Amino acid sequence: MRAAMHDAGAAIFLTSVTACLAFLSGVMTDMPAVSTFCCVAFWAFLWNYVLNVTFFPALVCVDVRRQQAKRHYCCPCAKVGDARVGDATLETGEAPPDCIDRAVKALLDRLQRLLATPERCAAVLFCCLAGAAFSLALFPRLGVGLEARDVVPDDSYMIDFFDSYDVYWPGKRVWYSSLVVKKDSDYADVGYRTRLGYDANMTTRPDSLFGRVEARADCIGRVGDPTTTWLKQALVYNGGGGAALTDAQLRHALGGTIHPVEDLVCQRGDCEATNFTDGVASSRQYFYHLIDDDTIAANRVRGKYEDVVDDAGFEDEAYVWSEMFMYGASDSVVRGFTFASVCIASVVIFAVVAAFLDVRAAVACTTTVLIVDVDLVGLMVAWDVPLNAVAYTVIVMGIGLCVDYCVHMAHGFAHSSGGPLQRIEGAYAMMGSAVVKGAFTTFLGILFLANASSSVFRTFFKLLFGTVAFGAIHGLLLTPVLLAIIYKVAPPKGADMVGTSAVGPSAPAKADPAAEESKGGLA
């Protein structure tokens, strides 16, 4: 166990720190759902590290005792013969390779041969950069938005509703919106009521707030439809809107629609007041308006309504709210938030890897993570996954996942000896199996999401699948190549780091014939 912790403990610590800090950087985002998700993920990864260095080694020690007692691994109550003890051979101290180990070794051998010469390394680097350039070119085609149908199950009756809506009213949605007046207001004042909406004849004034909202082309009907506003009901009950109302008259007029609750004079869904002397604390008037079935377009409409409110003199006193505006506000900033989060996480990854390994490894790992994120853009365009709050959350989480693969390989490379190609061989020997098995188990963990009944969960699968696939491929191929190039340009000073790795002096890396033949290459 000590030998295992000596070989892998540093890599586990480094990858855990980078993943935790990458998630912690996402907590600073202004999007509450993503911030909460990153906070939970941070604590999950931190606790996972604690268990990996405490609880898991204890279980392994218990299992060693089981093997020494010659008890079966499936049924510890039963003893087995001396030839095999469950999954280990005690005579040699090593577990015999199973089919998974043989498959992983075969895969790593093929990948290692792929990086056996400088020419092949250059070809791998070119393919990775070309793929990233192609994905970056697809960025303008990346859609933005989250449709309501994406958050309901496929068998929900709402899907039939959305399908019918798309057939008969394509491209447009009628939304039930609220015009909210949120400041304390004196509705007994004739001038205030006129500026808000009504003249002495109970007609909506064109230059009032209500009139300006109704004048918009996307507004359907009148403010207060279908039951008109509570204010108009009170004024009609009192006999007109021209005269000022006393507190008692207003209270009496509103008695049929607003009910007293404890010490509140009135409280209901469309109006709330502590008392009429201080004015109505908050009020909302309903209306319908037509919006393009596009969140970005909806966000532009929200901005237009803000201009209407400001022009009517109700800046910071009123606003128009619609459920569509909520999606629009989120989708309008998601591109900037995604870019900022990726940049912050990259800086964190660079700083942590540079502190615990060196600047060369930090450059290679950060570059790998950025290329993986760029490749995810191409995958999103190919798989028709728009950028929204859900995709943004998975991208932030993907940074914490894919950093494990490249940091493991960078750790193995930095703690190996010899020239760049020999260090690649050492990195594969030390960390290659851990990267492959880690990617495979992560993929198995997300596989059940592929058949989820909701589009949101399938989006999780698509992006996590891309993160695992691109992260493992780039970690096993691109990171060693980048490290080989960087170490060739800026070789380590002083003594080579022999003796700090599993491929140290006791098992020196064998010479690379191809590298010896190509002098001036990476060897």
Side-chain angles (χ1 to χ4, degrees):
M1 179 54 64
R2 289 181 179 178
M5 292 301 295
H6 177 268
D7 292 339
I12 295 174
F13 172 77
L14 183 57
T15 55
S16 298
V17 169
T18 51
C20 286
L21 292 181
F23 282 120
L24 195 60
S25 65
V27 176
M28 296 183 292
T29 182
D30 292 333
M31 198 172 292
V34 178
S35 178
T36 302
F37 178 88
C38 290
C39 182
V40 174
F42 164 76
W43 287 110
F45 269 67
L46 181 62
W47 187 242
N48 179 68
Y49 170 73
V50 173
L51 293 177
N52 268 288
V53 297
T54 56
F55 184 68
F56 180 72
L59 289 181
V60 173
C61 291
V62 172
D63 188 65
V64 170
R65 289 189 177 185
R66 172 195 64 80
Q67 297 178 37
Q68 293 174 345
K70 300 181 179 180
R71 296 188 178 275
H72 196 272
Y73 66 98
C74 287
C75 184
C77 297
K79 289 190 175 184
V80 296
D82 294 335
R84 288 275 306 231
V85 182
D87 52 2
T89 302
L90 295 178
E91 288 77 6
T92 62
E94 297 181 357
D98 55 18
C99 59
I100 295 179
D101 290 328
R102 290 194 296 269
V104 171
K105 186 178 184 304
L107 174 63
L108 292 176
D109 289 342
R110 290 178 180 272
L111 295 178
Q112 190 172 327
R113 287 197 297 269
L114 188 62
L115 304 180
T117 64
E119 293 77 15
R120 293 178 180 180
C121 290
V124 169
L125 178 63
F126 174 79
C127 292
C128 292
L129 294 180
F134 178 74
S135 297
L136 195 61
L138 295 177
F139 186 78
R141 298 173 54 185
L142 179 63
V144 176
L146 178 65
E147 296 186 13
R149 67 169 64 242
D150 293 335
V151 298
V152 297
D154 294 338
D155 56 354
S156 172
Y157 75 94
M158 293 296 295
I159 299 297
D160 294 334
F161 168 78
F162 294 135
D163 291 340
S164 299
Y165 220 117
D166 292 337
V167 171
Y168 298 107
W169 301 280
K172 297 288 185 179
R173 290 289 187 269
V174 177
W175 290 89
Y176 193 44
S177 304
S178 302
L179 174 58
V180 180
V181 182
K182 59 182 179 179
K183 291 288 186 179
D184 293 342
S185 308
D186 185 8
Y187 288 89
D189 180 76
V190 177
Y192 181 82
R193 297 203 305 267
T194 302
R195 190 164 61 93
L196 182 65
Y198 305 122
D199 59 15
N201 298 320
M202 301 304 301
T203 303
T204 304
R205 291 178 57 91
D207 59 344
S208 65
L209 177 59
F210 293 173
R212 292 172 185 268
V213 171
E214 294 174 1
R216 282 194 51 82
D218 54 70
C219 181
I220 301 175
R222 307 177 66 85
V223 173
D225 287 343
T227 60
T228 195
T229 68
W230 63 268
L231 177 60
K232 192 166 187 176
Q233 290 179 356
L235 294 175
V236 171
Y237 183 90
N238 192 59
L245 300 178
T246 64
D247 292 342
Q249 288 174 322
L250 185 56
R251 182 182 309 178
H252 182 67
L254 298 177
T257 58
I258 299 179
H259 305 282
V261 178
E262 298 179 355
D263 60 330
L264 300 181
V265 174
C266 65
Q267 181 177 1
R268 205 177 184 183
D270 56 359
C271 175
E272 180 177 331
T274 53
N275 58 70
F276 291 107
T277 302
D278 294 337
V280 176
S282 182
S283 170
R284 61 181 179 181
Q285 330 292 340
Y286 302 107
F287 68 98
Y288 293 101
H289 61 129
L290 193 66
I291 303 180
D292 291 336
D293 190 17
D294 179 83
T295 54
I296 303 301
N299 192 61
R300 289 195 294 267
V301 173
R302 180 188 61 83
K304 296 296 184 180
Y305 274 110
E306 287 183 356
D307 296 337
V308 169
V309 172
D310 294 344
D311 293 342
F314 284 85
E315 184 178 3
D316 297 329
E317 296 183 25
Y319 61 89
V320 175
W321 184 88
S322 172
E323 183 180 357
M324 193 67 171
F325 293 168
M326 176 179 64
Y327 297 115
S330 173
D331 294 339
S332 65
V333 298
V334 70
R335 287 180 183 267
F337 280 3
T338 303
F339 180 77
S341 296
V342 171
C343 291
I344 294 173
S346 300
V347 171
V348 171
I349 293 170
F350 181 88
V352 173
V353 178
F356 288 96
L357 287 178
D358 56 29
V359 176
R360 305 173 190 81
V363 171
C365 292
T366 305
T367 303
T368 302
V369 171
L370 289 176
I371 290 179
V372 170
D373 287 331
V374 171
D375 288 341
L376 282 178
V377 173
L379 179 68
M380 293 171 67
V381 174
W383 224 332
D384 196 23
V385 177
L387 181 62
N388 49 47
V390 177
Y392 170 41
T393 302
V394 183
I395 290 174
V396 173
M397 181 174 63
I399 295 174
L401 291 177
C402 71
V403 70
D404 285 2
Y405 309 130
C406 56
V407 169
H408 270 85
M409 295 301 295
H411 175 84
F413 189 96
H415 289 78
S416 298
S417 58
L421 291 179
Q422 285 74 31
R423 286 177 179 268
I424 291 178
E425 182 180 350
Y428 272 97
M430 185 187 300
M431 291 296 174
S433 178
V435 172
V436 173
K437 291 181 179 180
F440 181 70
T441 54
T442 304
F443 174 76
L444 291 180
I446 65 173
L447 189 60
F448 73 97
L449 292 174
N451 198 34
S453 62
S454 176
S455 177
V456 168
F457 294 106
R458 291 195 295 272
T459 297
F460 263 83
F461 167 76
K462 293 175 182 179
L463 294 184
L464 286 177
F465 169 79
T467 299
V468 173
F470 290 141
I473 292 173
H474 287 73
L476 289 168
L477 294 178
L478 179 61
T479 302
V481 171
L482 291 176
L483 285 169
I485 295 174
I486 295 172
Y487 270 64
K488 182 64 178 178
V489 175
K493 296 181 180 179
D496 214 6
M497 288 188 292
V498 176
T500 60
S501 91
V503 288
S506 59
K510 60 182 180 180
D512 189 347
E516 293 178 354
E517 293 177 3
S518 55
K519 296 182 180 180
L522 293 175

